[in-house]
Amino acid sequence: MNQLQLTQGLVTFLALGLMLYLLVRAPRNAALRAVTILVACWAGSFALDAVAVHGIPAIGLEPIMTRLTEHVLQAAAGYCLIAFYLFSALDLPAARRQAMWQAVPLGAAVLIMTGATALMPAGIRDAAAVLPSSKGAGPVSAPTVGLLYLTVNVYMFYAFATALLWTRRYARGAEPRLRRGLALTSVGLVGIVLALAVFIAANLVRWAGGTLPMPVVTVGIAAVLIGIVLFLVGVAYPVLGMRAAALRVWWQHRRVYRRLGPLWTVLNREFPEDALNRVPAGRFRDTFGLTGVHRRYYRRVIECRDGLVRVSPYLEPDGAAPLAQRLCAGLAAHAAGVPVPHRAQPVAVPRADGLEADARELVALSDALRGV
């Protein structure tokens, strides 16, 4: 197994993990189920190919049956790709009807491959299983062997060529992140379709007793491996892009939460009744906690703003003293019970609307408190 095959296998299993995670979060999404099964079929066929290519029995199956199972999984992957587009583009009843019709060529392909394998003479079965790695040797002209490999390649060519046309059609009206993902998917599908065309030509030439030039076959193998990797990256790209954007927001909220610590501490010490969480978080969880970041961020911004409203009557009017110093003096006056008019005044007013703008003003005040 070369480096390219290992890369394809690694990307396939990583993509499978991502798809399973998304499916757990949205189990009723029919399109997501289809693409998850597609990747699972690819992962299974990758593992089975690694066994069948050595011509040794596995899990109680002779090598040719392992190869047949791999081909059935590959055909099922092509069908799932068609189903993914059907359930993405059509309403559920129409998608189900079309999916049933598309199952007919899949069933025909599986029956043909199963029949060819069952009729294969005993003397060539093991050699037929390792045929892809034999560089032209083996029972290349046996009708049952040729039919087995030709059938799976023809069906997959149909499925992936159809998917390529639909991908280009849907990419035109997609939003930017999805359009970039579909562009990668399209490039991957082009590689897969070209590779399958090469494999079909090789099957026909070998069935006729000839041999396709090895450089052409090598290009086909490289194209399908690279195509699968690009296809999987394209499928995962929109999801990973959204996760990356969500991670940036998470990191920003966590950073602001930490920077608001000095301001929140002095206000909470004076106005503990304003705390939205009656059970204070432990120091370890407050410092290293990775969950509930958004909730804690919003809560801290609100608590800081409520505290400033409460202490604002104790602040001296704008003057030469910085706001951080006037805040400390106002908190001391409140603690001492100094009588003041019960009228709030604006403090650290943001220049723009929105919670993020409010948080920026509070962070600036909190940072200034560090030096007081």
Side-chain angles (χ1 to χ4, degrees):
M1 186 175 293
N2 57 36
Q3 190 67 35
L4 193 56
Q5 288 174 309
L6 288 174
T7 301
Q8 180 239 320
L10 176 62
V11 173
T12 300
F13 282 99
L14 289 175
L16 178 58
L18 175 62
M19 292 300 110
L20 290 173
Y21 165 75
L22 296 175
L23 187 61
V24 169
R25 295 173 62 90
R28 297 184 180 274
N29 189 321
L32 182 59
R33 285 202 301 269
V35 77
T36 302
I37 296 173
L38 181 155
V39 180
C41 287
W42 270 352
S45 65
F46 175 84
L48 291 173
D49 176 70
V51 175
V53 75
H54 296 293
I56 56 177
I59 57 173
L61 298 176
E62 61 176 321
I64 193 60
M65 295 304 296
T66 303
R67 183 66 73 185
L68 172 63
T69 306
E70 176 207 350
H71 286 183
V72 171
L73 288 177
Q74 290 177 347
Y79 172 79
C80 288
L81 183 58
I82 293 176
F84 166 72
Y85 283 99
L86 291 176
F87 285 100
S88 298
L90 304 176
D91 60 86
L92 191 58
R96 284 175 175 170
R97 287 194 299 270
Q98 290 295 325
M100 290 180 63
W101 281 110
Q102 290 292 341
V104 173
L106 171 65
V110 172
L111 286 175
I112 292 171
M113 291 188 294
T114 304
T117 304
L119 296 174
M120 200 174 293
I124 63 172
R125 293 173 71 86
D126 288 349
V130 301
L131 188 60
S133 64
S134 57
K135 299 183 180 181
V140 292
S141 60
T144 51
V145 178
L147 191 59
L148 172 63
Y149 287 97
L150 181 63
T151 301
V152 67
N153 287 329
V154 167
Y155 177 78
M156 289 175 62
F157 180 87
Y158 159 75
F160 285 94
T162 302
L164 176 59
L165 295 176
W166 287 344
T167 300
R168 297 313 309 151
R169 181 186 305 170
Y170 297 143
R172 299 189 186 101
E175 55 90 16
R177 182 183 293 125
L178 179 58
R179 188 164 59 247
R180 289 190 291 270
L182 289 175
L184 285 171
T185 301
S186 298
V187 175
L189 287 172
V190 168
I192 294 172
V193 169
L194 290 177
L196 289 169
V198 171
F199 296 158
I200 291 172
N203 293 149
L204 293 173
V205 171
R206 295 170 79 179
W207 198 352
T211 303
L212 204 65
M214 197 58 201
V216 177
V217 178
T218 302
V219 169
I221 294 173
V224 73
L225 294 177
I226 295 174
I228 289 174
V229 171
L230 290 177
F231 175 86
L232 292 173
V233 172
V235 168
Y237 180 85
V239 177
L240 295 178
M242 288 188 292
R243 293 299 170 189
L247 182 60
R248 285 195 297 270
V249 174
W250 179 89
W251 178 254
Q252 178 187 1
H253 284 182
R254 189 175 190 276
R255 184 168 175 266
V256 170
Y257 173 84
R258 299 291 300 155
R259 291 179 66 184
L260 285 175
L263 175 61
W264 179 86
T265 299
V266 297
L267 292 173
N268 180 259
R269 185 185 303 126
E270 196 63 31
F271 307 107
E273 65 274 16
D274 285 345
L276 298 176
N277 184 13
R278 299 305 181 188
V279 180
R283 182 178 295 274
F284 180 86
R285 182 180 182 276
D286 188 64
T287 304
F288 300 104
L290 301 178
T291 59
V293 169
H294 302 302
R295 181 180 66 254
R296 287 186 284 154
Y297 160 79
Y298 293 126
R299 190 169 61 213
R300 178 155 289 188
V301 170
I302 293 170
E303 290 173 355
C304 287
R305 180 54 68 187
D306 288 346
L308 289 178
V309 172
R310 280 182 173 273
V311 78
S312 64
Y314 295 86
L315 301 186
E316 295 181 0
D318 292 345
L323 177 58
Q325 294 182 8
R326 292 190 288 119
L327 176 61
C328 291
L331 289 169
H334 178 273
V338 176
V340 294
H342 292 285
R343 186 175 61 184
Q345 59 177 311
V347 181
V349 179
R351 299 178 182 179
D353 295 331
L355 184 65
E356 300 299 328
D358 198 15
R360 284 194 294 270
E361 290 295 326
L362 295 176
V363 165
L365 177 56
S366 184
D367 290 344
L369 284 175
R370 297 177 186 273
V372 176

